């Protein structure tokens, strides 16, 4: 089975930093795009940042200049460094791996992590 396991969430004061990690496992051959999404209470899930296997990145306008996404293809792991956090960054953060190829799978598939809570206090 392919699984994504997230870590690194928590409570931080405004202006602080957190680093999220997400590791994919399950006889992974390749992963096309890995990304982070977030969902605040009463709001839709939104893209925060994404990175291709080649290193191309995409960020939501609200996090540009504050968040940095990176990945280690050898470890099938994606990271999200979050600096200058704001209370409006409070949400459950979900890792996504898109077009995952695994020896367990017949076709490439997309997977989500279980989510990690980030709370930013004033």
């Amino acid at each position: 089975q392919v699984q994504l396991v997230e870590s690194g969430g928590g409570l931080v004061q405004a202006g602080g930093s957190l680093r999220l990690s997400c590791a994919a496992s399950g006889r992974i051959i390749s992963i096309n795009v890995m990304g982070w999404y977030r969902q605040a209470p009463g709001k839709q899930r939104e893209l925060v940042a994404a990175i291709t296997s080649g290193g191309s990145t995409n960020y939501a306008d609200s996090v540009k200049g504050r968040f940095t996404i990176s990945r280690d293809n050898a470890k099938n792991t994606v990271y999200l460094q979050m600096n200058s956090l704001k209370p409006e960054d409070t949400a459950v953060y979900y890792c996504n791996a898109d077009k995952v190829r695994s020896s367990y799978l017949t076709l490439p598939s997309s997977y989500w992590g279980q989510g990690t809570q980030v709370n930013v206090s004033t």
Side-chain angles (χ1 to χ4, degrees), residues 5-114:
V5 178
E6 300 150 347
S7 61
L11 174 64
V12 65
Q13 286 188 329
S17 299
L18 283 174
R19 189 189 193 214
L20 306 182
S21 300
C22 171
S25 62
R27 296 183 181 178
I28 303 294
I29 298 171
S30 65
I31 303 174
N32 185 16
V33 180
M34 299 188 80
W36 290 95
Y37 291 71
R38 67 187 180 188
Q39 188 167 18
K43 294 188 176 181
Q44 289 188 330
R45 189 173 297 188
E46 62 176 0
L47 174 68
V48 176
I51 184 169
T52 69
S53 57
S56 296
T57 58
N58 182 38
Y59 294 93
D61 288 342
S62 59
V63 307
K64 284 181 180 176
R66 300 188 297 122
F67 291 9
T68 302
I69 190 170
S70 61
R71 66 189 278 179
D72 184 331
N73 290 330
K75 295 181 179 180
N76 296 312
T77 299
V78 64
Y79 307 95
L80 185 68
Q81 178 65 44
M82 304 185 293
N83 298 328
S84 302
L85 282 160
K86 304 175 181 180
E88 51 263 44
D89 294 317
T90 294
V92 178
Y93 284 69
Y94 296 91
C95 173
N96 175 262
D98 192 38
K99 294 183 180 178
V100 178
R101 295 178 62 232
S102 162
S103 57
Y104 285 129
L105 303 173
T106 303
L107 296 172
S109 299
S110 180
Y111 291 88
W112 291 92
Q114 79 282 2

